[in-house]
């Protein structure tokens, strides 16, 4: 008899993806002043990938248009580092698994950001 996990059925996987996307969008809206208009979450084995589009503020778009996309990328990297614990907690709560690594990258044109979470086999920290 095979043992099932909490995320075996398509409906449960879909609800995990939705929970992660909604939490990440909410965190962006709270801390950046604006959330992305498109967010997709992909979950495969021990990897969670969140793709965010149309997430920049008006000021960031102005910087990109003026050729300062590197400054937007650097600022977004600093924000991701500052919010890493919140992003990680959202994924751990949704998946029921610990996150062992978090990576974030922003691409100014086209306007895309990705958050990658590598999952551990065990429960979230402190659980």
């Amino acid at each position: 008899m095979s043992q099932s996990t909490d995320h075996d059925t398509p409906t449960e996987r879909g609800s995990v993806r939705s929970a992660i996307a909604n939490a990440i969008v909410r965190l962006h809206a709270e801390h950046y002043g604006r959330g992305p208009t498109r967010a997709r979450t992909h979950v495969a084995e021990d990897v969670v990938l969140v793709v965010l589009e149309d997430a920049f503020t008006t000021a960031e778009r102005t910087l990109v248009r003026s050729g300062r996309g590197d400054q937007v990328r650097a600022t977004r990297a600093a924000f991701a580092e500052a919010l890493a614990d919140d992003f990680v907690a959202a994924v751990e709560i949704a998946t029921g698994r610990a996150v062992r690594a978090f990576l974030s990258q922003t691409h100014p044109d086209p306007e895309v950001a990705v958050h990658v979470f590598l999952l551990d086999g065990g429960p979230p920290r402190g659980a």
Side-chain angles (χ1 to χ4, degrees), residues 2-124:
S2 72
Q3 188 175 16
S4 70
T5 65
D6 291 350
H7 312 295
D8 279 349
T9 66
T11 302
E12 289 167 340
R13 279 194 305 266
S15 110
V16 167
R17 288 192 309 262
S18 291
I20 292 169
N22 290 339
I24 298 297
V25 166
R26 179 183 51 76
L27 287 165
H28 274 259
E30 287 174 7
H31 295 278
Y32 292 96
R34 178 186 190 285
T37 61
R38 287 182 297 282
R40 290 182 318 278
T41 300
H42 306 275
V43 179
E45 308 221 0
D46 64 347
V47 176
V48 173
L49 170 68
V50 181
V51 180
L52 307 168
E53 297 182 64
D54 187 32
F56 289 174
T57 65
T58 302
E60 289 170 324
R61 289 187 178 127
T62 300
L63 288 170
V64 169
R65 278 194 307 276
S66 69
R68 297 174 184 246
D70 286 344
Q71 288 179 313
V72 172
R73 201 177 357 252
T75 301
R76 284 273 168 160
F79 267 108
E81 186 178 320
L83 295 173
D85 288 344
D86 295 326
F87 290 142
V88 165
V91 171
E92 288 183 339
I93 289 167
T95 64
R97 293 173 64 189
V99 170
R100 62 185 174 102
F102 165 65
L103 303 97
S104 181
Q105 187 58 256
T106 302
H107 189 275
D109 190 20
E111 186 179 316
V112 178
V114 294
H115 296 318
V116 180
F117 303 85
L118 300 179
L119 303 176
D120 197 352

